[in-house]
Amino acid sequence: MKQITGGVCAAQGFKAAGVHCGIRKNQTKRDLALIVSDCPASAAAVYTTNLVKGAPLLVTKEHLADGKAQAILCNSGNANTCNADGPQIAKEMCQLAADQLGIAPEDVAVASTGVIGQPLNLAPIAAGMAPLAADLGYENSLHAAMAIMTTDTIAKEAAVEFTLSGKTCHLGGIAKGSGMIHPNMATMLVFLTTDAAISSELLHKALSTDVQSTFNMVSVDGDTSTNDMVVILANGLAGNAPVTEENEEFAVFMKALNTVTMQLCRMLAGDGEGATRLLECRVQGAADLATARTVAKAVICSSLVKAAMFGADANWGRVLCAIGYSGAVVDVQKVDVAFASAAGRIEVCKDGAGIPFSEEYAKEILLKDEIEIQVNLHMGEAESTAWGCDLTYDYVKINGDYRT
């Protein structure tokens, strides 16, 4: 498994594009993205658990029912959610892309991100479709990554190279997400591509399994978005023997997928709205996986823990507090807590009680950009990791006037 560059264009036969079409007022920001496979591909997706779902999700779910797709179209600046004509607009977007690409509209997955409840004007998208198609290139992953950004401060790309049945394969992706991010399809859009040959059934199993330990373990602010979606396309151009059963080859594919999604998770959490620090909570010694995940999520979602990390305050009591209300069955008198970063590691709690430690050294550790909150429950062998960020003044500033 080798990490490489290229994002959604790392895999053979995938082109990408991103242009400014006029949805966003800022003309320097791209707001329309397109990812296209040279041939029809196996496809799978997972969606937000929010009962309020963006129209693009409903249309994409309908289009991917046959397990096939060839293109992904996404706009930023408007979520096309809670609009009476939302599904019609989403379908017309697919038709516009299909006409430009010479494919069926049912082979287009569509996504939108931005403000909820404002009608999406189709005119700029229609006008931008030809320039978007003209921008398609085998090295333009970054263009697409930039076009799906909203309050993100950095474009998010990752890719790996791996081997299946003696053939070199690639898997890459791009993501957006900065705020409104919370477990159970954490709020984001993620588009993944691979040139590996794999059946749509196993592709869906791989994706739906992977998100449980990756994207569903990310939280920025406790809000689950209406437009969260992860889509993966597999065009088979690597020429490997198709993966059609859960064997060693499937395990290799799962590892490749997880390597990319884990990288994207860290980028999403670290780029949370107003964030200054990436937080990673690693829970060990849990009785079972469900307990480990529940505890890790509770700690990473705690507003008080997040605020303490912003202030570089080793307030470990807030970690214990989050574990206590998480709903997980734990023996709090066995819990150990430590903080770690590039500056070192410090133990702050042993057997559920405080221990002497240097506040000065703890602060030095917590002033780093990436902080690890280590929890050991001493009740078993299961472990899990969750990602988040600190809670800052700027988060309120960004979201206080987001719409206006």
Side-chain angles (χ1 to χ4, degrees), residues 217 262 266 279-285 292-293 295-297 299-300 319 323 336-338 340 345 371-377 382-387:
M217 298 298 291
M262 286 269 256
R266 290 176 60 83
L279 307 181
E280 181 175 281
C281 180
R282 298 186 63 188
V283 175
Q284 296 177 305
R293 287 177 173 172
V295 170
K297 284 182 181 181
V299 173
I300 218 70
V319 176
I323 295 171
D336 297 344
V337 178
R345 179 180 184 275
I371 307 299
E372 191 173 291
I373 303 170
Q374 300 175 351
V375 176
N376 195 326
L377 302 178
E383 56 186 55
S384 184
T385 303
W387 299 270

Side-chain angles (χ1 to χ4, degrees), residues 54-140:
L57 276 68
L58 304 178
V59 172
T60 294
K61 191 171 185 179
E62 178 184 323
H63 285 187
L64 299 190
D66 63 353
K68 299 293 180 183
Q70 194 167 347
I72 303 170
L73 177 67
C74 179
N75 74 273
S76 60
N78 187 308
N80 190 16
T81 298
C82 298
N83 296 325
D85 66 347
Q88 176 188 344
I89 294 296
K91 289 182 178 180
E92 290 181 4
M93 286 176 63
C94 293
Q95 186 66 61
L96 287 169
D99 290 344
Q100 192 69 48
L101 299 171
I103 63 177
E106 293 77 17
D107 287 335
V108 180
V110 62
S112 299
T113 181
V115 179
I116 295 171
Q118 290 190 204
L120 176 59
N121 183 2
L122 194 64
I125 297 174
M129 198 57 63
L132 184 66
D135 188 57
L136 282 171
Y138 294 112
E139 297 181 350
N140 281 358

